[in-house]
Amino acid sequence: MLRVCCEFGLTAVLLLGVVTGVRWLFAPDGYGGGGAAFAVLGAGVGVLLAVLMLSAPGRRSGAHLNPAVTLVLWRLGAFPGRDVLPYCLAQLGGSVAGTWLAAVVWGPVVARPPVGYAAVRPGPGWGEGAVAAAEAGVLAASALMLAGLLAYPVGRRLLPYAVGLVTALVIAVLGPLTGGSANPARQFGPALLAGEAGGTGGTGPLWAYVAGPVLGAVAGAVLGRRLDGRLGGQLGARLGDRPVSPRET
């Protein structure tokens, strides 16, 4: 229960940071948006994510902060299956709490366009299927990265920095195109509070930002285990083919 509470709180802090960044980078009285704003937002979120993973609560829970990451770690054998649902619910709940808290802190500007609770919006020409496919691709690649890092002790120590860097690049590169979410919890709270879970008001449909990462996570984890087996089973040997404590991930 303590680890689940940590996931809730850490995800809430992450979304508070995300919404705060969007508020000051995209609102008319802030930076004003543009391509550079996505790069700055990506850098800020990447650093915040690494800091949260390295914090005491992050080390206790594993700081997944993303239901798709929780699924990857479960499928890789690095996280107990009984904790998957509680973690995912805590992450989604933390997303709502963090988004709501940002609205309380920054006021009505958070609800109004172009901020709109920081709900992700795909760029022109990006349909639902394309968004879901892009999100799936990002998580599949991330799952392979996690499999490679978890196979070696030095990789585990580098994990927070690698995840932060990848997150920064995803937001900077895909932000203007698909919205650069790659995390169901990232879109859940903002879309829910904005009343745009179905994709109204210019946001991408919530299902694409949930199904895409989940499918990509599972596919990437399966591929990672198969590749690991062909390369000598380093991941299986390190994890002992058993769920391990979140502290070890």
Side-chain angles (χ1 to χ4, degrees), residues 162-187:
V163 171
L165 178 60
V166 169
T167 300
L169 291 174
V170 168
I171 295 174
V173 175
L174 291 182
L177 304 176
T178 68
S181 174
N183 180 350
R186 160 64 182 89
Q187 178 74 335

Side-chain angles (χ1 to χ4, degrees), residues 108-203:
V109 67
V110 170
R112 296 194 298 261
V115 180
Y117 290 100
V120 170
R121 291 166 172 79
W126 283 84
E128 299 179 8
V131 168
E135 294 279 302
V138 169
L139 260 297
S142 298
L144 293 175
M145 179 191 74
L146 288 173
L149 291 174
L150 287 171
Y152 303 95
V154 65
R156 294 191 180 199
R157 291 194 292 271
L158 294 174
L159 193 58
Y161 310 103
V163 171
L165 178 60
V166 169
T167 300
L169 291 174
V170 168
I171 295 174
V173 175
L174 291 182
L177 304 176
T178 68
S181 174
N183 180 350
R186 160 64 182 89
Q187 178 74 335
F188 182 77
L192 194 66
L193 291 182
E196 300 177 355
T200 59
T203 66

